Amino acid sequence: SYELTQPPSVSVSPGQTATITCSGDKLGDKYACWYQQKPGQSPVLVIYQDNKRPSGIPERFSGSNSGNTATLTISGTQAMDEADYYCQAWDSTTGVFGTGTKVTVL
Amino acid sequence: QLQLQESGPGLVKPSETLSLTCTVSGGSISSRSYHWGWIRQPPGKGLEWIGSIYYSGSTSYNASLKSRVTISVDTSKNQFSLKLSSVTAADTAVYYCARQQRFIAASHTANWFDPWGQGTLVTVSS
């Protein structure tokens, strides 16, 4: 079965850039999306179709996807960005979520 | 604004069938633009896609759960439902429903879930 691997944790200082990776076989040949999930809340879509931001998502969130890796970048990270982040892609007709990354803003 | 709300028993006994319903408001489940999905999250763990359905009744399921899962749609009530049979403690999770959007390109298709319901915790225990 298809798997997506993320680093368990990423730490970033306020105002700096956080980079979260998502690795999967030939992931660049698929579309990736990203979700943010804060404690006790439902996931929220922050990036879809590799690099598109839904309405209401701040410009500091951006995405890219090439080769075997999709990347979510948070520029000028704020305390409110502290959360778990999950990538997702589709292998044929099957939805696959990444293992998740906890972003800590120190 | 589209909203989704999960409902169903919060406690299910082992070997029985888990049944949940997602009620969609602020939009039509019969829209040809969307599919509708179920996702779950065991306590303290990551997200797992369970399956999705189109208003016509066409379904797709996670292979690891396919033998136990049935997703159905009731367009007259603007609802879709999940049934998971022969549950065990490993099925204890927060269950989410969500709208699934698609973009079909020449070589592959993008799918994403937005928005999500608030989720409902289902505990499997005797």
Side-chain angles (χ1 to χ4, degrees):
Chain A
S1 63
Y2 195 76
E3 295 181 352
L4 294 173
T5 303
Q6 300 178 232
S9 63
V10 167
S11 296
V12 60
S13 300
Q16 299 304 302
T17 296
T19 301
I20 307 163
T21 57
C22 174
S23 299
D25 184 50
K26 297 180 181 178
L27 180 56
D29 291 342
K30 311 176 191 300
Y31 282 111
C33 63
W34 292 89
Y35 303 93
Q36 175 193 70
Q37 186 180 33
K38 296 182 179 180
Q41 298 184 17
S42 303
V44 172
L45 180 73
V46 294
I47 292 289
Y48 67 98
Q49 219 171 304
D50 289 343
N51 54 22
K52 299 188 186 317
R53 274 180 297 104
S55 173
I57 299 301
E59 290 185 6
R60 64 180 180 272
F61 288 89
S62 63
S64 63
N65 185 15
S66 180
N68 294 320
T69 305
T71 302
L72 174 68
T73 303
I74 311 174
S75 304
T77 306
Q78 300 183 8
M80 67 173 65
D81 300 329
E82 187 162 288
D84 293 328
Y85 290 84
Y86 295 90
C87 61
Q88 187 194 16
W90 290 75
D91 183 39
S92 184
T93 59
T94 298
V96 180
F97 285 95
T99 51
T101 298
K102 181 176 182 60
V103 171
T104 301
V105 182
L106 300 172
Chain B
Q1 181 182 359
L2 189 85
Q3 293 186 316
L4 300 96
Q5 178 68 59
E6 305 88 352
S7 60
L11 181 64
V12 181
K13 290 183 168 56
S15 80
E16 295 189 343
T17 296
L18 177 160
S19 297
L20 295 175
T21 296
C22 181
T23 300
V24 178
S25 59
S28 174
I29 203 170
S30 298
S31 171
R32 296 185 178 187
S33 300
Y34 307 114
H35 287 62
W36 306 89
W38 286 99
I39 304 101
R40 71 179 182 178
Q41 184 173 36
K45 296 188 178 181
L47 300 167
E48 179 181 34
W49 174 73
I50 299 171
S52 299
I53 192 165
Y54 193 50
Y55 80 96
S56 64
S58 174
T59 54
S60 55
Y61 297 134
N62 187 321
S64 67
L65 299 169
K66 188 173 184 177
S67 64
R68 298 194 293 131
V69 172
T70 302
I71 297 176
S72 58
V73 64
D74 187 337
T75 55
S76 67
K77 295 182 179 179
N78 228 32
Q79 295 176 335
F80 62 108
S81 299
L82 168 69
K83 291 188 185 298
L84 181 64
S85 63
S86 304
V87 297
T88 69
D91 295 311
T92 293
V94 175
Y95 286 76
Y96 296 100
C97 60
R99 181 179 68 180
Q100 179 181 334
Q101 297 190 235
R102 312 184 77 190
F103 170 77
I104 301 175
S107 58
H108 48 291
T109 300
N111 290 271
W112 59 94
F113 292 110
D114 179 54
W116 296 54
Q118 67 180 32
T120 186
L121 174 63
V122 178
T123 301
V124 178
S125 175
S126 56

